[in-house]
Amino acid sequence: ETAAAREPSEWAPVGGLVAMDLAVPDAAAARGRLDAFQQRNPTSAEAALLRARLGLQLDESPVEVAQGLQRFVKAQPQDAVVRSALIDTLLSAGQTEAALQAAREGLAAAPNHPGLLHVAGRAHLFNNQTAEALR
C-alpha cells in the first residue's frame, strides 16, 4: 500500500495488491483498485488486460469488457496486444463485424504483428471469408 501510494503510476505495487485481493478473494477490491489505477494511468496495457480478464471472470458481459478495451485502443492505437484481446473479446461476444473492423484497423497500424495476423485470420474465418483468412 505504501509503495502504491508513493508511486501511483507504477504498475508493480498495484499489480501485487490486485493479486493479493484476488487471493483473499476480494474481487470487488481488485476491481476498484484496477479501475482507480486505470483512471490515473490510462496508457497501462497491463491494467487494461487484467481488468478485461477480471471482468470476464466476474461475469461482466463480453460487450462491456470490449467497450473497456476499445477505450484503451482508441487512446493507444499502436498497442497490438490489447487490440488482439479486443478482437478476441468481440469474437466471443458474437460481434464478428466489429472484430473484423478492429482487426483491419490493427493491421493498418501494425501490418506484420504476428498476434494481430492470427486474430485477423480468425475474424475473417468467423465472417466466412476463408480466402482472406488464408491471405
Side-chain angles (χ1 to χ4, degrees):
E1 292 283 354
T2 302
R6 231 182 246 155
E7 295 293 333
S9 64
E10 286 295 319
W11 168 248
V14 173
L17 289 168
V18 168
M20 287 192 296
D21 289 338
L22 293 173
V24 172
D26 188 352
R31 183 185 314 183
R33 221 182 275 278
L34 276 170
D35 290 345
F37 183 81
Q38 280 188 292
Q39 284 185 336
R40 290 189 313 271
N41 305 284
T43 61
S44 171
E46 295 91 345
L49 291 169
L50 184 56
R51 180 60 179 90
R53 188 174 323 135
L54 181 61
L56 292 171
Q57 289 175 346
L58 297 176
D59 295 328
E60 289 179 15
S61 75
V63 172
E64 289 176 288
V65 172
Q67 289 170 346
L69 292 170
Q70 284 170 328
R71 282 190 297 276
F72 180 88
V73 166
K74 188 175 281 188
Q76 299 292 317
Q78 75 286 356
D79 193 304
V81 175
V82 176
R83 190 179 295 270
S84 294
L86 168 62
I87 296 164
D88 277 335
T89 303
L90 289 168
L91 289 174
S92 71
Q95 296 185 344
T96 58
E97 283 295 323
L100 189 55
Q101 181 60 35
R104 288 181 180 135
E105 291 169 2
L107 289 174
N112 296 317
H113 189 277
L116 279 176
L117 289 168
H118 175 75
V119 293
R122 288 185 51 232
H124 283 291
L125 286 175
F126 272 80
N127 283 285
N128 296 317
Q129 299 173 351
T130 309
E132 190 66 28
L134 287 170
R135 192 163 42 93

